[in-house]
Amino acid sequence: MARVRLTVAYDGRGFHGFADNPGVATVAGTLSRTIERVTGTVVELTGAGRTDAGVHAWGQVVSLDLPTGTELELVQRAINKLCGPALVVRAAEWADEGFDARFSARWRRYRYTIVNRPVPDPFLAATAWHVPQPLDLRVMTLACDPLIGEHDFSSFCRRPRAADGQEPPSLVRRVLDARWEDEGDGVLRLWITATAFCHQMVRSVTGTLVDIGSGRRTAGEMTGILRARSRAAAGGVAPPHGLCLWDVGY
Amino acid sequence: MARVRLTVAYDGRGFHGFADNPGVATVAGTLSRTIERVTGTVVELTGAGRTDAGVHAWGQVVSLDLPTGTELELVQRAINKLCGPALVVRAAEWADEGFDARFSARWRRYRYTIVNRPVPDPFLAATAWHVPQPLDLRVMTLACDPLIGEHDFSSFCRRPRAADGQEPPSLVRRVLDARWEDEGDGVLRLWITATAFCHQMVRSVTGTLVDIGSGRRTAGEMTGILRARSRAAAGGVAPPHGLCLWDVGY
């Protein structure tokens, strides 16, 4: 057996998230069953990011073991025939023995797309959040600055359950970059890179940034929201279909 | 009553074409029933292009009559709330008395999108034809030239039924422009403008151009295909979901 690295894209609308979950269609479940069917090998998948239900991916990375000598290109083609176009393997390659899609990752980059026009767009409806009220990109850009660096992101994350008698896991994360890109015609993209993210972090950050951009809050409040370490301090959670796991660095 | 002009975008996957057709969801049927519900006025719609089942539109133009003084902005917003995001009115405005979306049109422009990569793309699957084998854009561009001008497009059109004892309608059309745009990453767009199109013309032209681009035919054959005036001379019909009625000139 040898380690394999897959780069996977999917339309999140067809899946109840990445993580395997018996009885519902998930990315990991669909992928592992298809690989087992194609190769005859029972596989265990590890993903770089556990995307939620409805969240898309362009560059999700998955690691698994397959028998040495497996024709990866044929496996890739078979998966894409059986699962595509909703779920496709963009690349399949042999990796170092120690490669682990989750623990070897140095950073993850997510993209959140907003369509900021009065009228919705039928062709962006699947991959962008439609925000009809005008957003001030300048203040939304200012409000990104306090996010960069190492912080406790409790205000922006669903609190994880602690194991019995244990401390709850830390929500300290290091954000390497957070910036808006204006694509024109009202298409706004938030690019956010961190060593790792906690649950619902990008969607909560986006919801708060939209509150700021629409004037319900000021850019200056972002630092206080972060320091509060309380879910109640932040804004709402942006819908999942605007979010996409774009790529992962190793 | 006064004449109204709507600019309408829709995701063709949800509709059995533009034209009203009792018992199935069509663009004209959905739009007219919604306008009647919102305004209380019975309307008759005229569209610039009768798009087929599965074909998209970004700038379909529709004309109809509404009572003078109707608040068009409120009507637009109500339609978008009820029909969006699959079907949206991008603009609603008063037009000259003699304006007719179909007969006043000087030209229609269609866009056909191909994704020319080995691996399909989950995010373009709804709006592009996935062609995995390599296409030579240079010869596909050469093969567009013979299409420009006034020709009998019988080779590229479904023959319309003639009324009893009548000559079948002419399939002579004037193509004003036909060119490929390379967007990078294998995304190829055919832009084709004509005073009017006959049925399945853009999809048949695209199918033939893909035959040429993949080497099954040569660019030099295009003139002969056109002159044959026979459906059998042309290539296959490209799938509807790559096609989009982009805009209409008046």
Side-chain angles (χ1 to χ4, degrees), chain B residues 69-132:
Chain B
T70 302
E71 288 277 9
L72 292 185
E73 211 190 307
L74 297 183
V75 172
Q76 178 188 5
R77 226 179 291 163
I79 297 170
N80 291 346
K81 202 150 216 169
L82 293 165
C83 301
L87 166 60
V88 301
V89 173
R90 293 173 48 217
E93 53 212 321
W94 295 107
D96 289 339
E97 198 185 337
F99 177 77
D100 181 289
R102 183 172 174 201
F103 292 107
S104 308
R106 289 187 301 116
W107 50 262
R108 282 97 173 150
R109 178 160 52 169
Y110 278 86
R111 185 184 83 175
Y112 197 99
T113 306
I114 288 172
V115 179
N116 187 36
R117 301 176 202 152
V119 175
D121 183 320
F123 306 107
L124 296 174
T127 53
W129 180 22
H130 176 233
V131 177

Side-chain angles (χ1 to χ4, degrees), chain A residues 45-181:
Chain A
L45 302 185
T46 305
R50 288 169 61 97
T51 53
D52 272 341
V55 173
H56 309 294
W58 175 245
Q60 170 77 280
V61 178
V62 167
S63 55
L64 69 155
D65 288 337
L66 284 177
T68 321
T70 302
E71 289 276 11
L72 292 186
E73 210 190 309
L74 296 184
V75 173
Q76 179 188 4
R77 225 178 293 162
I79 298 170
N80 291 346
K81 202 150 215 169
L82 293 166
C83 301
L87 166 60
V88 301
V89 173
R90 291 174 47 217
E93 54 212 321
W94 296 106
D96 289 339
E97 198 185 337
F99 177 77
D100 182 289
R102 181 173 175 200
F103 292 107
S104 308
R106 290 187 301 114
W107 51 260
R108 283 97 173 151
R109 178 160 51 168
Y110 279 86
R111 184 186 82 174
Y112 198 99
T113 306
I114 288 172
V115 179
N116 186 38
R117 300 176 204 153
V119 174
D121 184 319
F123 305 107
L124 297 173
T127 53
W129 180 21
H130 177 233
V131 177
Q133 70 272 26
L135 296 175
D136 184 339
L137 196 62
R138 200 180 46 84
V139 300
M140 287 161 78
T141 297
L142 281 174
C144 282
D145 281 352
L147 299 169
I148 295 169
E150 193 168 281
H151 305 287
D152 184 322
F153 281 94
S154 294
S155 296
F156 295 102
C157 297
R158 259 170 73 169
R159 182 143 292 282
R161 231 184 286 177
D164 283 347
Q166 303 254 290
E167 283 289 299
S170 161
L171 295 178
V172 173
R173 297 289 186 275
R174 178 179 291 279
V175 172
L176 304 172
D177 194 27
R179 64 178 72 214
W180 287 95
E181 181 190 9

Side-chain angles (χ1 to χ4, degrees), chain A residues 6 8-10 12 15-21 24-32 44-57 60-63 87 101-102 110 245:
Chain A
L6 306 179
V8 181
Y10 44 87
F15 301 99
H16 293 261
F18 180 82
D20 210 348
N21 193 352
V24 295
T26 66
V27 174
T30 303
L31 204 49
S32 59
E44 201 168 328
L45 302 185
T46 305
R50 288 169 61 97
T51 53
D52 272 341
V55 173
H56 309 294
Q60 170 77 280
V61 178
V62 167
S63 55
L87 166 60
R102 181 173 175 200
Y110 279 86
L245 171 53

Side-chain angles (χ1 to χ4, degrees), chain B residues 8 10 14-21 24-38 43 45 79 82-84 86-89:
Chain B
V8 180
Y10 46 86
F15 302 99
H16 292 263
F18 180 82
D20 210 350
N21 192 353
V24 295
T26 66
V27 174
T30 303
L31 205 49
S32 58
R33 269 196 311 281
T34 307
I35 294 171
E36 286 170 10
R37 188 174 151 195
V38 167
V43 292
L45 303 184
I79 297 170
L82 293 165
C83 301
L87 166 60
V88 301
V89 173

